[in-house]
Each structure stands twice: as structure tokens, then as C-alpha cells.
């Protein structure tokens, strides 16, 4: 069964405060002409490929219910091994198989699970196609993929074709044709594919989402998100990123690699794919200076990185427009000295929220009318308490004890398993996953065209106009474990 959306102020206020397609008077794909002229032009330029005969949308398609969700993990580096433990402690979930091209990692992870009192998963490894052997098993319901970016598309598609649901680390693919192929493969196989965007389950992000959907910011007009994280030391580490895979991307692409960490929560608050859609993107980039400068100062001349030339700009900024006239600024910078930030800013006709900016324990600050005045920011604390998402109220303590990144990893994992066990519609579907990752190839296209706008595809093929729930879910329980 699918979830019944909670009644919120965005549906009852009406007029200019309500967000989404219902407030805009949009109810079908034929109403897309209501978009501004520039967006309409972009819609025409991004005409989507037709579905194959018999292929149907995956919008609002629930998981089939599972008594126990059996997970297979592909990729057991830093991220994959940590998340494997997270999957194993969610009620009603068991890790049945683990795989890495390095067989010793599979053994190490299996040993760790046994040490923690969990059943030993079957191990796969030792070759590039070990994951394909794992996918042949019939005791896997969900495949979690945490390999380097260049393998996500191939492995995600293979998992869908093997009849599994799939959760893929960022990004699900790096090329537009690959994103479309994953959408089509999900639709053909009737299996869900979800981007493992843990930041959508951050406590501040979910509270911001609720505030936006309940009208506190008025008409949402703009947002700003990204991934600003000084990774220089890790990028030049000989052990952290296996075979230096992440640093090497900076030698072969100009893309905004990872901005979806901040982009996705802003898009969710704006109801992208649920009443609005991204229409155009234009990118700018600074010169690539940070990695070469760090290498010059801190990396010995014998290091293999001295044979590399970096072409990815330190700061890649994407300006995105939507069909309803909103703007989003998405940024990516892992090559500069700076404190960590996902920016996480949302603004409208009646106020603004800014994360990573305040002095409160939440890290956020807010200014909304009529509560505030005098041009003075207020701490976010009381607002987060009032608008705390039910997931954090229900499992916040477990999240803090069982997951990384402040607990949002575990919230993502717990919610995914709950959705599967209860037979509910996913919060994040293949269309969300595709459009949040689209800035990776689109930024390359725009930069190659001197920063000119490029069209953002409509992966929903017209269904974006219909308001529907997503991360703004109503509270449900985890089914009891037999």
C-alpha cells in the first residue's frame, strides 16, 4: 500500500503561500505551458525519449512487502564497510552477501559482522566481475553499491536486471545516457533504484523541508546548496581512496562531481519532480589551482601524483532554474582550504534559513516574518524542535549510536528497510535520483559551451506537475520482527 500524505499547511493555506502543483493550478502534463517562457523553451529543448512499448512509470510504485530484507553489498572500502554495519543493525534486515574486487576486504567485513553477533554473509571477490556472480543469488532483495563513481551505472543496472532493488552511492551515473538508461531499466524491471543521499535525512534538512511545506518561508523563491569540503589530504593519501580513484577524476573531467549533497535537500523542499522541475543549468568554474598548490607544498616529489595535470576547477558553480521561476545555486569544491559546509539555504517571500552559519548548537540561523524583525538573525534551535521530522523523533537516539555523519546514515538505512518491509512507496525514487545527479554531465556540457545554459531533462516524462509526497512522509512504524 502507498502512504497517505499528511495534511499540511501547504495544502490548506491556498493562495500564494501554498507550494506545489496544486497551488499553481497545475494538474497534468498538459499544464506545463503555465511555466515562464524561458522555462518553456528549455522544456522543448529537453524533449524526453519515448518509453518503450509496455514500459510504465515507477512513480508511486511501492515496494512489495518483505518480512526480512536481505542486503548484498558491492564495494567495501571506507564507505561500504561502514554502511554494511549500519544495514546489519536495522530491525528486520540482514546482510547476506558482501563483495569487493579485493577479496580480503570481503573477508574482513564478514569477520566484523560475525564479531558483532551477526550471521556471516557469503563472500565474493577477487575479480572485476565478482559482483555479477553475487547478483545471481536468490537471497538478496536489496543491493547497496559503494564502489568508485565510474562503476555505479554498470553495477546499478546489473542489479536491476537481476531483479533486485538498488541503493547507489552518489552519483548513480555520470553521463546523461546512463541516467536515462537507469530510469528505463527501473521502469522495465519494476524495481526501485534510489540514490543513497543521506543528507536528505539530515535533521536540519528535514526540519527545513517541513517548514517550507508548511509555508513558513512564504513562496519559495531560491535555494543554495552544495558540497564544500577540504579533501586535499585525503585525495593525496596513498590508502584512503583505493588506487587514488577520486583524485584521478580531477585529471579527466570538469564536472560538478558531488553537489547533490546540498542540491538534493533544496530540490526536495522545492517539490522538484512533485510540482516543479529543473529546466536549465549553467555552470562556471574557477581555475584548477588548489590540488597543484597542495601537492607543491606537502607531497613528496616521488609521489605518483606529480605525473598528473588537474583540469577540474576548484569551485564549480551551477545556476539552476525551475519551471516555476525558482533558482538554485549548487556548488562543489573539495580542493580549497575551508571549513566544511553543505550551505543548505532556503529563502522565500517571508523568510530565510541558513545552515552552517549560526552560533547555535544546530549550526543554523533563521529569519522569518512575522516572528522576527530588526534585521537580526535568530538561532534555529526552537524551530528545529517544533518542526523536527518524525523520523528523528522516533529513531534519533538509535541514529546517533548506529550511524555516521551525525546519524543521518542510519536514518536513511532504517527508513529504506522500513519502506521495504511495510510495502510503501520510496521517499526517493529513480526520477529524483536521476535529476539530482544530472548536474554532473550537464555542468561539463555548459562549461564546454562557455557557461551557456543547457536543458535539464525531465526524467518523469511530464509527471513532475503532480504534487505528491516524498521525504515529507507521514509517520509509520517499523513492522515487528517475527
Amino acid at each position: 500500500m502507498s502512504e497517505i500524505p499528511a495534511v499540511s499547511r501547504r495544502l490548506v493555506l491556498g493562495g500564494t503561500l501554498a507550494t506545489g502543483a496544486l497551488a499553481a493550478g497545475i494538474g497534468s502534463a498538459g499544464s506545463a505551458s503555465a511555466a515562464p517562457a524561458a522555462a518553456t523553451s528549455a522544456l522543448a529543448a529537453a524533449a524526453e525519449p519515448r518509453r518503450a512499448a509496455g514500459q510504465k512509470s515507477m512513480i508511486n510504485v511501492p515496494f512489495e512487502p518483505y518480512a526480512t530484507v536481505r542486503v548484498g553489498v558491492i564495494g567495501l572500502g571506507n564507505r561500504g564497510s561502514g554502511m554494511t554495519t549500519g544495514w546489519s543493525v536495522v530491525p528486520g534486515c540482514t546482510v547476506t552477501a558482501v563483495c569487493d574486487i579485493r577479496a580480503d576486504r570481503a573477508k574482513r567485513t564478514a569477520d566484523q559482522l560475525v564479531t558483532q553477533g551477526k550471521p556471516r554473509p557469503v563472500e565474493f571477490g577477487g575479480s572485476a566481475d565478482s559482483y555479477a556472480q553475487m547478483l545471481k543469488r536468490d537471497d538478496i532483495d536489496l543491493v547497496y553499491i559503494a564502489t568508485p563513481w565510474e562503476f555505479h551505472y554498470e553495477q546499478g543496472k546489473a542489479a536491476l536486471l537481476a531483479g533486485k532493488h538498488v541503493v547507489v552511492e552518489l552519483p548513480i551515473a555520470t553521463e546523461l545516457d546512463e541516467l536515462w538508461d537507469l530510469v528505463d531499466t527501473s521502469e522495465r524491471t519494476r524495481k526501485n533504484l534510489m540514490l543513497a543521499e543521506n543528507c536528505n535525512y539530515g535533521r536540519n534538512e528535514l526540519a527545513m523541508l517541513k517548514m517550507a511545506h508548511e509555508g513558513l518561508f512564504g513562496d519559495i523563491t531560491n535555494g543554495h546548496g552544495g558540497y564544500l569540503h577540504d579533501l586535499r589530504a585525503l585525495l593525496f593519501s596513498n590508502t584512503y581512496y583505493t588506487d587514488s580513484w577520486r583524485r584521478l577524476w580531477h585529471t579527466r573531467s570538469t564536472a560538478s562531481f558531488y553537489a547533490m549533497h546540498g542540491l538534493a535537500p533544496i530540490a526536495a523542499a522545492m517539490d522538484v519532480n512533485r510540482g516543479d522541475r529543473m529546466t536549465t543549468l549553467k555552470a562556471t568554474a574557477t581555475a584548477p589551482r588548489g590540488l597543484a598548490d597542495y601537492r607543491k607544498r606537502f607531497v613528496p616529489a616521488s609521489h605518483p601524483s606529480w605525473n598528473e595535470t588537474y583540469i577540474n576547477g576548484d569551485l564549480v558553480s551551477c545556476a539552476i532554474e525551475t519551471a516555476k521561476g525558482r533558482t538554485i545555486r549548487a556548488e562543489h569544491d573539495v580542493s580549497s582550504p575551508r571549513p566544511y559546509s553543505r550551505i543548505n539555504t532556503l529563502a522565500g517571500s517571508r523568510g530565510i534559513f541558513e545552515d552552517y552559519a549560526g552560533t547555535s548548537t544546530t549550526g543554523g540561523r533563521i529569519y522569518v516574518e512575522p516572528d522576527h524583525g530588526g534585521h537580526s538573525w535568530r538561532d534555529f534551535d526552537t524551530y528545529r524542535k517544533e518542526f523536527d521530522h518524525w523520523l528523528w523523533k522516533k529513531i534519533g537516539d538509535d541514529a546517533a549510536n548506529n550511524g555516521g555523519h551525525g546519524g543521518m546514515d542510519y536514518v536513511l538505512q532504517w527508513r529504506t528497510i522500513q519502506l521495504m518491509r511495510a510495502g510503501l512507496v520510496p521517499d526517493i525514487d529513480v526520477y529524483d535520483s536521476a535529476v539530482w545527479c544530472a548536474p554532473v554531465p550537464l555542468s561539463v556540457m555548459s562549461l564546454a559551451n562557455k557557461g551557456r545554459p543547457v536543458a535539464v531533462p525531465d526524467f518523469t516524462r511530464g509527471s513532475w506537475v503532480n504534487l505528491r509526497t516524498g521525504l515529507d512522509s507521514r509517520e509509520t512504524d517499523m513492522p515487528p520482527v517475527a
Side-chain angles (χ1 to χ4, degrees), residues 203 388-399 414 418 475-478:
R203 197 162 203 159
D388 207 12
H389 195 278
W390 68 266
L391 279 166
W392 279 94
K393 292 179 180 178
K394 182 182 286 286
I395 62 167
D397 290 341
D398 288 339
W414 188 95
Q418 184 218 15
E475 183 173 356
T476 48
D477 293 324
M478 177 74 80

Side-chain angles (χ1 to χ4, degrees), residues 16-339:
T16 58
L17 278 183
T19 63
L22 296 182
I26 300 172
S28 66
S31 300
S33 60
T40 302
S41 174
L43 291 174
E48 65 275 1
R50 291 185 178 182
R51 286 190 175 99
Q55 189 172 313
K56 298 179 181 178
S57 172
M58 287 294 288
I59 287 177
N60 289 331
V61 174
F63 291 102
E64 59 273 33
Y66 295 85
T68 299
V69 177
R70 301 165 299 179
V71 175
V73 178
I74 304 174
L76 298 166
N78 293 293
R79 181 64 173 163
S81 60
M83 290 289 280
T84 299
T85 298
W87 293 114
S88 74
V89 297
V90 178
C93 181
T94 183
V95 177
T96 55
V98 292
C99 177
D100 194 281
I101 192 171
R102 289 164 172 76
D104 61 309
R105 290 182 173 178
K107 183 180 184 304
R108 179 196 64 196
T109 302
D111 288 344
Q112 289 173 346
L113 289 177
V114 171
T115 300
Q116 295 160 6
K118 306 299 180 182
R120 187 178 192 89
V122 179
E123 302 163 32
F124 292 85
S127 67
D129 65 351
S130 294
Y131 78 92
Q133 299 304 311
M134 188 191 84
L135 293 177
K136 293 179 181 179
R137 296 186 64 87
D138 60 5
D139 60 352
I140 298 173
D141 307 306
L142 176 69
V143 174
Y144 167 70
I145 297 171
T147 51
W149 302 335
E150 52 263 40
F151 304 117
H152 289 184
Y153 160 68
E154 173 188 324
Q155 293 168 347
K157 181 177 181 178
L160 290 172
L161 292 174
K164 324 295 186 187
H165 298 291
V166 192
V167 172
V168 189
E169 282 294 338
L170 290 61
I172 62 169
T174 60
E175 302 291 343
L176 279 182
D177 60 341
E178 296 174 348
L179 293 171
W180 272 115
D181 195 29
L182 289 176
V183 168
D184 288 337
T185 305
S186 175
E187 290 183 347
R188 290 196 305 269
T189 60
R190 314 310 294 163
K191 295 297 179 181
N192 285 302
L193 181 143
M194 167 185 164
L195 179 71
E197 187 41 87
N198 55 346
C199 295
N200 275 110
Y201 290 95
R203 197 162 203 159
N204 282 6
E205 285 86 346
L206 283 174
M208 178 186 72
L209 175 86
K210 286 191 63 180
M211 293 168 68
H213 284 179
E214 296 205 17
L216 262 73
F217 303 116
D219 279 331
I220 302 298
T221 58
N222 69 94
H224 184 191
Y227 186 69
L228 308 177
H229 190 182
D230 182 0
L231 292 180
R232 294 172 301 165
L234 294 179
L235 289 172
F236 285 100
S237 167
N238 290 324
T239 57
Y240 193 82
Y241 293 113
T242 304
D243 297 329
S244 303
W245 69 264
R246 191 162 183 169
R247 188 181 73 243
L248 292 177
W249 271 92
H250 290 259
T251 70
R252 60 178 182 248
S253 178
T254 59
S256 175
F257 295 131
Y258 217 66
M260 61 284 290
H261 261 339
L263 170 62
I266 298 300
M270 289 184 177
D271 285 323
V272 167
N273 285 349
R274 291 165 166 77
D276 200 359
R277 62 157 296 218
M278 301 179 191
T279 55
T280 63
L281 177 150
K282 53 185 177 183
T284 59
T286 66
R289 297 286 186 262
L291 294 186
D293 179 70
Y294 184 91
R295 180 179 61 186
K296 179 180 179 180
R297 291 184 291 148
F298 301 112
V299 179
S302 59
H303 195 271
S305 65
W306 280 95
N307 296 319
E308 300 166 357
T309 300
Y310 305 112
I311 64 172
N312 185 251
D314 293 343
L315 174 65
V316 181
S317 300
C318 296
I320 301 168
E321 296 185 352
T322 78
K324 295 184 69 174
R326 297 165 171 146
T327 62
I328 305 171
R329 188 163 85 253
E331 298 188 346
H332 177 269
D333 185 350
V334 299
S335 307
S336 304
R338 57 165 304 135

Side-chain angles (χ1 to χ4, degrees), residues 9 12 159-160 163 192 328 342 392 402 404 460:
R9 271 190 275 174
V12 300
L160 290 172
N192 285 302
I328 305 171
R342 297 194 300 275
W392 279 94
N402 289 316
T460 72

